[in-house]
Amino acid sequence: MSTFTIDRKLARTIQRITSSALGPYQTAVIRIGFSATYLLFLLRELPHRHEMYGPDAPWSWDMAQQLISGNQAFTTLMWSDSTVWFETVYVVALLSAVLLMVGWHTRAMSVLFMAGVLSLQNRSIFMGDGGDNVIHLMAIYLVLTRCGQVWSLDARRAARAVRVAVADAEDDGPRRSVRGDGAGPVLWVVLGLVLTVATVTDGLGGTWWLPVLFWILWGGQGAWWAVNRYAPHSEARTLLDVVANLAHNATLVVIMAEVCLIYATAGWYKIQGSRWQDGTALYYPLKLDYFTPWPGLSDILASSGVMVMLLTYGTVVVQVAFPFTLFNRRVKNVLLVVMMCEHAGIALLLGLPFFSMAMIAADSVFLPTVFLVWLGGRVTLGRELLFSRRGKVPGQRRAVDDEEAPQHSGDGGHTLVG
């Protein structure tokens, strides 16, 4: 009986990780959080983009080319040193961040977002900080997740397609066809041409895994679209769904492990520092002009030795303890709130808003699903109240009449490149 019970639990676990993409709300928050963080960063640095990554950067194009020839990093900014090309890459990075945030063709936008992040950061690697490193990693991880299952335009389009199908099944008349989304095939063709040119001209960096990843994603999305269109109920469709779920769930585990590793290493390195051991480490950055956007507030905090000591020791304790609290949901949720408040304080006191936003977005992978569902409901209610104040909302027309909807089952909105 014991062996039978274990086998049943194992079979149930395998069934769960292959039949569904876990953590849909958590991955949606990560998608929205990191794309919004990088979008705001690019907008803030818009007047200084030429000095940071462009033709006027202290780290010149020739110097960057010499470095990249050694570390084999990927950046599209090395394809040309013209200003027009730099502006094109910067605009694509901005647009991909916006479209990924709202969830329009999330699979294609996640790839473009990754390309934009890697291109800009690898062009001038000395311009980043810890937050940029987190964005760098998460941009790669997002490509392998099904992060458009909820809170995205893809999910809304898929839901409307399902409603149309249900309505057609209930009607006695002939079934109506749902118009497909023509943007998906166009994106797929355009990105395929760009990928071909980049591969032929050896513009995908010196590593082997990145070109392989790009081609697998491109070919996989083509196969996904073809199966959904011509054999939506076949075994091939089920197989593709299983592979996508496995990749998503494995990547979700990697993201969780990455966050735990960041906090564990940061905490253990702090323990070895003498200033963290005597409880004075927080005092010194509060006295640096570079890290004091609000000098008066920093002086008030630095003047209290007890508060400095408590915050210094508390930071170390929280970072070291967090990975071990994952086995206790209540303690984990409490420390999660504490860490998010800590990053909000870093953004306010030390003037590092984008680092704090990146870490809060990474921490969101551990937020309870119940809370995220409640939060989504509050946002939806607020949106409905806002629109209701502007006037009576007219009755909805059927999705087949007013908006395009993909022809596939409810799989999170991933059409050809979506």
Side-chain angles (χ1 to χ4, degrees), residues 344-417:
I346 291 174
L348 178 65
L349 293 173
L350 302 183
L352 298 172
F354 300 111
F355 167 78
S356 298
M357 289 179 64
M359 290 308 305
I360 291 174
D363 294 341
S364 300
V365 72
F366 295 107
L367 287 175
T369 301
V370 174
F371 169 74
L372 293 176
V373 172
W374 174 85
L375 182 62
R378 297 306 94 189
V379 173
T380 301
L381 179 60
R383 183 182 60 190
E384 292 176 353
L385 292 175
L386 178 63
F387 282 107
S388 65
R389 292 177 181 176
R390 296 182 179 179
K392 186 177 180 180
V393 180
Q396 286 187 341
R397 296 177 297 170
R398 298 213 171 185
V400 70
D401 297 325
D402 59 357
E403 291 201 30
E404 296 181 354
Q407 297 189 24
H408 59 78
S409 58
D411 60 357
H414 294 304
T415 54
L416 179 57
V417 285

Side-chain angles (χ1 to χ4, degrees), residues 141 277 290 318 343:
Y141 297 153
Q277 292 175 5
Y290 185 77
V318 168
H343 289 302

Side-chain angles (χ1 to χ4, degrees), residues 273-291:
S274 59
R275 295 294 175 262
W276 291 96
Q277 292 175 5
D278 60 26
T280 62
L282 183 62
Y283 174 83
Y284 299 99
L286 292 175
K287 289 299 183 178
L288 294 175
D289 293 337
Y290 185 77
F291 291 110

Side-chain angles (χ1 to χ4, degrees), residues 102-363:
V102 300
W104 184 80
H105 291 280
T106 50
R107 190 59 59 89
M109 292 305 110
S110 65
V111 175
L112 286 178
F113 179 74
M114 178 186 71
V117 170
L118 297 183
S119 295
L120 293 174
Q121 291 188 355
N122 290 338
R123 164 64 176 83
S124 300
I125 61 174
F126 302 107
M127 301 298 296
D129 56 18
D132 293 304
N133 293 335
V134 176
I135 294 175
H136 190 108
L137 293 172
M138 293 299 173
I140 298 175
Y141 297 153
L142 276 175
V143 171
L144 300 175
T145 63
R146 305 180 76 171
C147 54
Q149 296 180 100
V150 297
W151 297 344
S152 67
L153 296 180
D154 289 342
R156 188 178 68 171
R157 187 171 66 245
R160 289 182 176 178
V162 171
R163 287 200 297 269
V164 170
V166 172
D168 287 342
E170 293 176 351
D171 291 342
D172 295 331
R175 293 194 175 187
R176 294 156 295 176
S177 61
V178 180
R179 291 178 297 170
D181 186 358
V186 172
L187 280 171
W188 188 76
V189 172
V190 172
L191 294 178
L193 292 175
V194 173
L195 186 57
T196 301
V197 173
T199 303
V200 171
T201 57
D202 197 21
L204 296 178
T207 61
W208 63 268
W209 64 269
L210 190 60
V212 171
L213 176 63
F214 278 136
W215 279 110
I216 289 177
L217 291 171
W218 184 80
Q221 285 306 118
W224 187 280
W225 178 84
V227 171
N228 276 328
R229 184 179 181 89
Y230 299 107
H233 305 293
S234 64
E235 293 183 0
R237 172 64 173 79
T238 303
L239 177 61
L240 289 176
D241 209 33
V242 168
V243 173
N245 290 334
L246 286 174
H248 169 94
N249 295 331
T251 305
L252 189 61
V253 173
V254 171
I255 292 174
M256 293 179 178
E258 187 74 42
V259 176
C260 291
L261 184 63
I262 289 173
Y263 284 118
T265 54
W268 286 106
Y269 271 112
K270 285 181 174 66
I271 289 177
Q272 302 174 42
S274 59
R275 295 294 175 262
W276 291 96
Q277 292 175 5
D278 60 26
T280 62
L282 183 62
Y283 174 83
Y284 299 99
L286 292 175
K287 289 299 183 178
L288 294 175
D289 293 337
Y290 185 77
F291 291 110
T292 53
W294 311 99
L297 186 59
S298 299
D299 290 340
I300 293 175
L301 183 59
S303 63
S304 175
V306 175
M307 185 61 67
V308 169
M309 181 187 67
L310 291 177
L311 290 176
T312 300
Y313 287 149
T315 299
V316 176
V317 170
V318 168
Q319 291 183 350
V320 173
F322 178 73
F324 301 99
T325 65
L326 298 181
F327 303 101
N328 189 305
R329 182 171 55 186
R330 293 182 179 179
V331 178
K332 180 263 295 182
N333 291 339
V334 171
L335 285 187
L336 199 58
V337 174
V338 172
M339 288 193 302
M340 289 185 174
C341 292
E342 175 191 338
H343 289 302
I346 291 174
L348 178 65
L349 293 173
L350 302 183
L352 298 172
F354 300 111
F355 167 78
S356 298
M357 289 179 64
M359 290 308 305
I360 291 174
D363 294 341

